Amino acid sequence: MLRTADGQLWHGAGVLGQIGDIESPLGGEAPQTQLTLSGVDPSLVAKAVTGPSEYKGRPVEIFIQFYDENWLPLDAPYSVYFGLMDLLKSSGTGADKRVLTLICEGDFTMRGFPPFAHLSDRDQKRLHPGDRGLEYVASTQSKSIKWPKYC
């Protein structure tokens, strides 16, 4: 157990926990991050897999803390990732081989739209019946509009 510079006590996962790649969202991509825990108790695996309400949509934040050679904190913890928990996968069968992998999505994931959806009148009306906000999008796609009107 380690104490950080802000006075918090933390229990580490040691060699049982693993954090996947933390990528920056570049070029419109919304990269996912995987958190893995090995050697998990079977009762926890059963609870986690059958109860997505326990984790789905909950925030996850990953911090980094720097220590000196005597394990004294040098500064406050620094946040390196923030996202939301999404999918939980279980694998392995033996007591020392049970693994839980939690997939987390970052801020740039469009949660309101299903995969491969478009910003179209049809999709908008499906999500919000009666909404006419995107009614003329298709007709303005190849149109040149002078702005302001008096030019």
Side-chain angles (χ1 to χ4, degrees):
M1 183 166 25
L2 294 173
R3 183 179 301 275
T4 60
D6 62 355
Q8 295 288 328
L9 288 175
W10 297 89
H11 296 276
V15 296
L16 299 177
Q18 180 180 2
I19 299 173
D21 295 339
I22 298 176
E23 300 177 36
S24 295
L26 300 173
E29 294 289 321
Q32 296 177 328
T33 298
Q34 291 188 7
L35 307 176
T36 305
L37 193 59
S38 303
V40 181
D41 184 78
S43 62
L44 181 61
V45 172
K47 182 178 178 184
V49 173
T50 59
S53 62
E54 293 288 326
Y55 62 87
K56 189 157 180 77
R58 289 183 63 183
V60 60
E61 194 166 4
I62 299 173
F63 291 89
I64 189 169
Q65 172 73 63
F66 296 101
Y67 294 91
D68 66 10
E69 61 277 352
N70 297 317
W71 288 99
L72 296 173
L74 295 173
D75 53 6
Y78 178 76
S79 177
V80 293
Y81 177 80
F82 179 81
L84 296 175
M85 299 177 196
D86 188 36
L87 297 172
L88 186 64
K89 298 177 183 177
S90 173
S91 60
T93 54
D96 58 338
K97 296 181 182 177
R98 280 187 290 275
V99 176
L100 285 177
T101 302
L102 180 64
I103 299 173
C104 303
E105 295 182 332
D107 292 341
F108 292 96
T109 303
M110 294 180 63
R111 298 189 166 283
F113 293 96
F116 309 112
H118 299 283
L119 192 58
S120 68
D121 184 48
R122 185 176 66 194
D123 286 345
Q124 184 69 10
K125 284 183 177 164
R126 185 176 41 79
L127 292 171
H128 305 284
D131 188 344
R132 298 181 61 196
L134 298 177
E135 196 169 291
Y136 299 104
V137 169
S139 65
T140 60
Q141 222 168 7
S142 301
K143 194 178 222 180
S144 296
I145 300 173
K146 285 189 170 186
W147 188 265
K149 190 80 167 165
Y150 56 82
C151 289

